[in-house]
Amino acid sequence: MIIEPKIRGFICTTAHPVGCAWSVQEQIDYVCQHGKIAGGPRKVLVVGASTGYGLASRVVAAFGCGAGTIGVFFEKEAEPRRTASAGWYNAVAFERKAQQAGLYARSFNGDAFSDEIKQKVVEAIRKDLGQVDLILYSLASPRRQHPRTGQISKSVLKPIGNIYTGRSLDVTTDTLEPVTLPAATPDEIEQTVSVMGGEDWEYWIDALEKENLLAPGVRTVAYSYVGPEITRSIYRDGTIGKAKDHLEATARKLDERLRKYGGGRALVSVNKALVTQSSSAIPVIPLYFVLLNKVMKEKRVYEDCIAQIYRLFATRLYAGGPIPVDDKGLVRMDDLEMREDVQSAVCRNWEKLNDRNLAQIADLKGYHEEFLKLFGFGVNGVNYNVDVDPDQKLLSASS
Ligand code: NAD
């Protein structure tokens, strides 16, 4: 089958297995070039391991630290005349490369929010690894079925209190478009917190603790975002920000609990804004990305997922000594994004932005390239005119 990108707004409905495998290899190469991380984890669980920050975390744990990894994700296998999802191909490629490198890797494709998947993962850890010393929680999901009540919650991306009116980027035409978002209802806020807050993270730790699977000195890290003033009403002060507040409060609670495991830690890392499948769907944020990326590239401080996570491991989590955190106890990997000179340049451009100067002051080309690459397209070295088999199997086949 010849596979081409089919883009529908902010999603691409096809993915290329060879392109995805090359992208995973690029991440592995980055880590190998930057060197081994001494004192890193050995047995790692990554929840949300197939794309974006979770995939990068699995790559750094495995190829930077030599860790055995268990990855959990929710992806689609190929069907007749339909490719698998990009995350599926990423996971297939990751497992093959881990096996070639002699590293343990096992994957579970299913709903991380369910007790069923937690139980399967618990069994695998008990049988194969004994315990885990790092749990990375990198889920981004539009919905959650609560494992105890069966209630389905959907996350919404809306402001709280006031209607938002502003501009967004129409990524299909590369033009600015007006956007109006109604204020969220209390029920919508609650549902978003249920999906993207910390409750499920805590349930994972409960499940592991109950079976004595937390190794001495265990660490668990979840990912959050803060961002600048210009996206505040839609992100940090909006429904997703409320969920992130809950995630951060959960970290404080878990941190207390994990201390008894030989000084274990639970932390939230605030990462940089990056183009991923989830973040592309957030209103207004892609417009901020294209301005931010232009400035960060010009100042030579741009980082992608793998660079961020390698730096997180090498300079924060496993640098030796106390983990550096801000006054709220958060690990700040968004330091370069939030630098004063970067933000003031982005703000100046945000103010003067119009359809005529958009292409000049925004990194539209970079955005489209990064977006296509998420699905395995536009990857250097891949011949897209060659027939490929879309039906690729996971080596561990634990779905
Ligand atoms: P992503 O869409 O690339 O990855 C989401 C992962 O979650 C995938 O592996 C997917 O398979 C998995 N997933 C979704 N629903 C699932 C379910 N029900 N069961 C099992 N797995 C499921 O997202 P991302 O942008 O890498 O986001 C990961 C985390 O990082 C999120 O908490 C996000 O808020 C945070 N973060 C993202 C950014 C950004 O700009 N992308 C910045 C800072 C923090």
Side-chain angles (χ1 to χ4, degrees):
M1 179 177 178
I2 302 285
I3 304 172
E4 288 175 345
K6 281 196 190 133
I7 297 172
R8 307 265 177 279
F10 52 78
I11 103 142
C12 179
T13 59
T14 52
H16 200 283
V18 181
C20 288
W22 276 58
S23 292
V24 171
Q25 185 62 49
E26 272 180 16
Q27 297 202 29
I28 295 171
D29 291 345
Y30 178 93
V31 170
C32 294
Q33 279 153 18
H34 284 75
K36 292 275 176 232
I37 299 165
R42 307 298 302 168
K43 296 170 181 182
V44 177
L45 168 63
V46 185
V47 183
S50 54
T51 53
Y53 276 119
L55 173 65
S57 305
R58 196 177 188 189
V59 170
V60 175
F63 292 89
C65 309
T69 59
I70 291 185
V72 181
F73 43 78
F74 206 21
E75 300 294 345
K76 288 199 182 85
E77 282 191 70
E79 288 170 23
R81 294 186 306 283
R82 205 190 159 97
T83 72
S85 56
W88 177 267
Y89 292 139
N90 291 339
V92 168
F94 174 87
E95 280 199 352
R96 286 189 188 153
K97 289 164 202 299
Q99 195 191 51
Q100 283 160 13
L103 295 164
Y104 170 92
R106 195 164 164 188
S107 304
F108 291 84
N109 186 33
D111 184 6
F113 297 127
S114 70
D115 286 341
E116 190 197 340
I117 276 282
K118 289 188 178 72
Q119 208 39 51
K120 283 187 183 173
V121 171
V122 158
E123 310 255 298
I125 293 172
R126 195 184 13 234
K127 191 165 151 285
D128 298 352
L129 300 176
Q131 289 186 318
V132 281
D133 55 3
L134 177 64
I135 303 115
L136 293 152
Y137 190 81
S138 187
L139 276 196
S141 176
R143 75 192 278 285
R144 172 185 181 210
Q145 178 162 29
H146 198 283
R148 315 268 149 94
T149 63
Q151 196 182 330
I152 292 174
S153 299
K154 292 186 179 156
S155 70
V156 298
L157 298 155
K158 287 187 179 175
I160 294 176
N162 296 310
I163 295 175
Y164 175 88
T165 47
R167 289 174 301 178
S168 198
L169 177 67
D170 181 336
V171 288
T172 50
T173 56
D174 278 351
T175 52
L176 297 171
E177 56 174 7
V179 57
T180 302
L181 296 164
T185 64
D187 181 52
E188 286 174 323
I189 299 170
E190 205 177 297
Q191 290 198 40
T192 307
V193 172
S194 172
V195 180
M196 289 297 289
E199 188 180 52
D200 181 62
W201 182 23
E202 190 171 357
Y203 285 178
W204 273 100
I205 301 300
D206 291 346
L208 297 167
E209 186 178 38
K210 195 163 150 243
E211 300 297 327
N212 192 26
L213 301 178
L214 301 174
V218 64
R219 286 171 188 182
T220 184
V221 181
Y223 297 139
S224 185
Y225 183 64
V226 174
E229 211 42 52
I230 48 180
T231 60
R232 179 173 290 279
S233 53
I234 194 69
Y235 194 96
R236 197 61 213 205
D237 286 351
T239 47
I240 184 74
K242 275 279 173 286
K244 293 300 185 191
D245 289 346
H246 188 272
L247 188 80
E248 290 161 18
T250 305
R252 291 189 287 275
K253 209 159 87 176
L254 292 177
D255 200 38
E256 286 287 312
R257 256 173 77 183
L258 294 191
R259 297 278 178 169
K260 66 173 181 282
Y261 294 94
R265 298 296 313 265
L267 292 159
V268 161
S269 170
V270 179
N271 295 348
K272 166 187 185 291
L274 272 172
V275 180
T276 64
Q277 291 190 36
S278 307
S279 61
S280 305
I282 305 177
V284 187
I285 295 290
L287 182 56
Y288 169 67
F289 280 149
V290 289
L291 295 180
L292 175 73
N293 289 353
K294 182 87 172 181
V295 171
M296 290 189 84
K297 284 178 184 174
E298 276 168 8
K299 290 183 182 286
R300 300 183 180 279
V301 289
Y302 175 80
E303 285 180 318
D304 57 9
C305 280
I306 196 70
Q308 273 269 291
I309 299 299
Y310 183 86
R311 194 160 67 91
L312 169 68
F313 275 56
T315 70
R316 306 291 204 271
L317 299 181
Y318 298 101
I323 299 167
V325 291
D326 71 4
D327 54 0
K328 293 190 178 128
L330 303 168
V331 178
R332 299 303 295 255
M333 297 312 300
D334 62 343
D335 49 350
L336 300 175
E337 171 182 349
M338 299 309 286
R339 229 168 62 175
E340 209 280 317
D341 61 325
V342 171
Q343 283 304 321
S344 54
V346 173
C347 276
R348 273 197 306 278
N349 288 346
W350 184 271
E351 291 304 322
K352 69 179 186 200
L353 190 65
N354 58 45
D355 275 321
R356 287 180 310 283
N357 63 20
L358 181 66
Q360 189 200 336
I361 61 175
D363 184 22
L364 296 172
K365 186 169 166 279
Y367 177 83
H368 290 295
E369 283 169 5
E370 280 165 43
F371 179 80
L372 279 176
K373 213 170 156 190
L374 295 177
F375 303 91
F377 297 107
V379 179
N380 279 337
V382 176
N383 182 351
Y384 291 96
N385 298 318
V386 170
D387 251 329
V388 287
D389 181 2
D391 190 16
Q392 306 271 325
K393 297 286 174 228
L394 271 174
L395 288 175
S396 70
S398 295
S399 41

